[in-house]
Amino acid sequence: MRQYELMVILDPELEERAVSPLIDGFLKVVRDGGGNVEKVDTWGRRRLAYEINKKSEGIYSVVDLKAQPDVVKELDRQLNLNESVLRTKVLRPDTH
Amino acid sequence: MAKPPARKPKKKVCVFCKEKISYVDYKDTTLLRKFISDRGKIRARRVTGNCTQHQRDVATAVKNSREMALLPYTSTAR
């Protein structure tokens, strides 16, 4: 099991209260794969430094989790398939 | 006009070594903004005074931050 940090930028047109169930839905893969979601920190709407898909805002969310590498790979794949996800980044903070 | 006498370069100490920060977080944009110019370019080590390792960490953090649209790649303000 490895420590991961995941950041997602979600579509700003999503409703505020629809955000956490959506993220929770994504994280189901981690829970089913024996991983552990440690912290979900939703920053809320934030201005992007440049436009992504013609959108100048995004809903940022940072998730700390512990999981097997292939589970995280699958999570990232599913995130990228979803239309309301603008961008994702997965990092391993302990490699620094 | 006479040239001002050659200034002795003041030896700068790397802020991260001084503060004993080992991990430069790409989410901390207020910190990272100190290491980019107003055009959005990463400042050189001779400007920031960072040590080799920390300058590299800063550069990586800025690049990660740019990917997530937290910092601009370019800003043409002016």
Side-chain angles (χ1 to χ4, degrees):
Chain A
M1 293 258 269
R2 281 173 175 166
Q3 182 74 41
Y4 288 94
E5 186 187 286
L6 167 79
M7 186 190 259
V8 277
I9 307 180
L10 297 168
D11 194 311
E13 277 143 42
L14 276 172
E15 272 189 70
E16 212 72 62
R17 58 197 160 81
V19 172
S20 54
L22 182 68
I23 294 170
D24 221 51
F26 290 136
L27 296 175
K28 198 175 172 295
V29 197
V30 179
R31 295 199 182 92
D32 292 348
N36 189 15
V37 179
E38 285 166 1
K39 206 175 95 191
V40 183
D41 178 17
T42 305
W43 294 4
R45 224 166 287 264
R46 202 190 138 104
R47 227 190 136 65
L48 301 175
Y50 50 87
E51 286 193 357
I52 300 177
N53 297 352
K54 312 265 183 235
K55 293 186 174 79
S56 60
E57 274 187 332
I59 300 171
Y60 280 78
S61 193
V62 181
V63 182
D64 289 336
L65 54 96
K66 228 184 199 125
Q68 299 292 346
D70 45 347
V71 173
V72 178
K73 211 169 171 183
E74 173 62 16
L75 170 67
D76 196 39
R77 190 186 72 88
Q78 290 189 9
L79 285 169
N80 282 316
L81 289 176
N82 195 297
E83 295 269 319
S84 53
V85 176
L86 295 185
R87 206 160 278 197
T88 61
K89 184 178 272 296
V90 181
L91 276 187
R92 282 180 55 203
D94 51 355
T95 49
H96 294 279
Chain B
M1 232 170 74
K3 262 206 232 151
R7 263 199 302 158
K8 212 183 201 170
K10 211 171 93 186
K11 185 89 183 78
K12 276 181 242 169
V13 186
C14 171
V15 276
F16 296 100
C17 291
K18 210 166 71 183
E19 305 282 328
K20 295 197 167 57
I21 301 167
S22 56
Y23 175 53
V24 184
D25 193 359
Y26 74 100
K27 300 188 293 300
D28 188 359
T29 48
T30 41
L31 174 76
L32 293 177
R33 271 187 194 279
K34 290 180 196 158
F35 299 102
I36 60 171
S37 70
D38 45 5
R39 283 248 162 176
K41 292 163 60 164
I42 300 172
R43 289 219 165 99
R45 181 151 66 239
R46 63 169 177 275
V47 181
T48 59
N50 284 352
C51 68
T52 321
Q53 191 53 55
H54 282 129
Q55 176 71 14
R56 184 181 291 221
D57 293 346
V58 166
T60 325
V62 169
K63 286 166 190 171
N64 274 332
S65 206
R66 281 176 182 164
E67 273 188 51
M68 296 312 280
L70 298 171
L71 290 178
Y73 280 104
T74 54
S75 50
T76 44
R78 273 181 305 154

